[in-house]
């Protein structure tokens, strides 16, 4: 008698399911990783856009094109955040900035008035120091980042042209 074996064996079925599960887990992991990376890129981009705007404000202030009101842009941080929140953000462990003197709170309305649209984050800004700090930070790989200097591979690369000395500061 001739025996015709058509179909799949139980071992073949188990191996096929295991391979499909491995491929599915790799796909899910890379998808989640891509989303996390995109969120970090958005955060970094907003920090860079804000840094560029602060550099422009600083240049205008320094060259006396915008003499009055530069220190009035933004809101008082103490009116919008508790002392505990401010102490947390302005600490060496979190943002690396401990001196909060001269910082103003730039909320969504202030940022939009500066000409930056669709910004998700808000910032503490000190134009005299050309310094910005995110108010909420961004958690990535278990660490919270508040400034451009802290972001992984985040070398401060917003170009600033000093109009007096014609130097590029990066």
């Amino acid at each position: 008698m001739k025996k015709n074996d058509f179909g799949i064996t139980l071992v073949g079925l188990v191996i096929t399911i295991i391979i499909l599960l491995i491929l599915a887990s790799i796909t899910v992991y890379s998808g989640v990783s891509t989303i996390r990376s995109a969120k970090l890129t958005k955060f970094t981009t907003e920090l860079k856009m804000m840094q560029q705007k602060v550099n422009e404000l600083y240049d205008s202030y320094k060259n006396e094109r915008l003499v009055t009101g530069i220190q009035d842009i933004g809101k008082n941080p103490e009116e919008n955040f508790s002392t505990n929140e401010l102490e947390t953000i302005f600490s060496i462990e979190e943002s690396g900035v401990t001196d909060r003197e001269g910082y103003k709170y730039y909320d969504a309305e202030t940022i939009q008035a500066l000409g930056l649209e669709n910004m998700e984050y808000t910032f503490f800004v000190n134009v005299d120091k050309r310094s910005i700090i995110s108010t909420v930070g961004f958690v990535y790989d278990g660490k919270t980042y508040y400034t451009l200097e802290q972001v992984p591979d985040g070398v401060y690369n917003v170009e600033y042209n000093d109009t007096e000395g014609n130097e590029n500061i990066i």
Side-chain angles (χ1 to χ4, degrees), residues 7-20:
I8 189 167
T9 65
L10 187 57
V11 172
L13 182 62
V14 168
I15 291 172
T16 303
I17 290 173
I18 290 172
I19 290 171
L20 287 174

Side-chain angles (χ1 to χ4, degrees), residues 101-129:
E101 187 70 31
Y103 280 88
K104 293 287 189 167
Y105 170 58
Y106 282 38
D107 61 0
E109 182 181 303
T110 305
I111 293 169
Q112 191 170 12
L114 291 172
L116 298 173
E117 307 244 346
N118 300 321
M119 299 282 278
E120 179 181 329
Y121 297 94
T122 57
F123 305 95
F124 295 117
V125 176
N126 186 326
V127 175
D128 286 335
K129 294 180 181 178

Side-chain angles (χ1 to χ4, degrees), residues 20-99:
L20 287 174
L21 287 173
I22 291 170
L23 291 173
S25 66
I26 290 170
T27 302
V28 168
Y29 176 77
S30 72
V32 169
S33 177
T34 301
I35 291 170
R36 286 180 51 231
S37 179
K39 287 180 180 181
L40 177 63
T41 300
K42 178 179 175 44
F43 176 73
T44 305
T45 300
E46 287 195 13
L47 281 171
K48 287 179 181 181
M49 289 171 56
M50 195 65 208
Q51 185 67 57
Q52 184 64 37
K53 184 55 77 172
V54 168
N55 289 345
E56 290 172 14
L57 289 172
Y58 176 80
D59 189 45
S60 295
Y61 174 65
K62 184 176 176 188
N63 294 315
E64 297 180 359
R65 287 182 297 211
L66 185 64
V67 177
T68 59
I70 194 74
Q71 300 304 331
D72 297 328
I73 297 174
K75 299 178 179 170
N76 188 353
E78 285 79 14
E79 294 175 4
N80 296 281
F81 294 87
S82 71
T83 303
N84 192 29
E85 289 173 318
L86 290 173
E87 286 176 1
T88 299
I89 294 170
F90 287 93
S91 68
I92 199 73
E93 296 86 20
E94 294 298 323
S95 67
V97 178
T98 56
D99 179 20

Side-chain angles (χ1 to χ4, degrees), residues 43 89 121-122 133-139 144-147 150:
F43 176 73
I89 294 170
Y121 297 94
T122 57
I133 302 169
S134 172
T135 58
V136 293
F138 183 79
V139 178
T144 304
Y145 301 101
Y146 290 91
T147 65
Q150 293 177 317

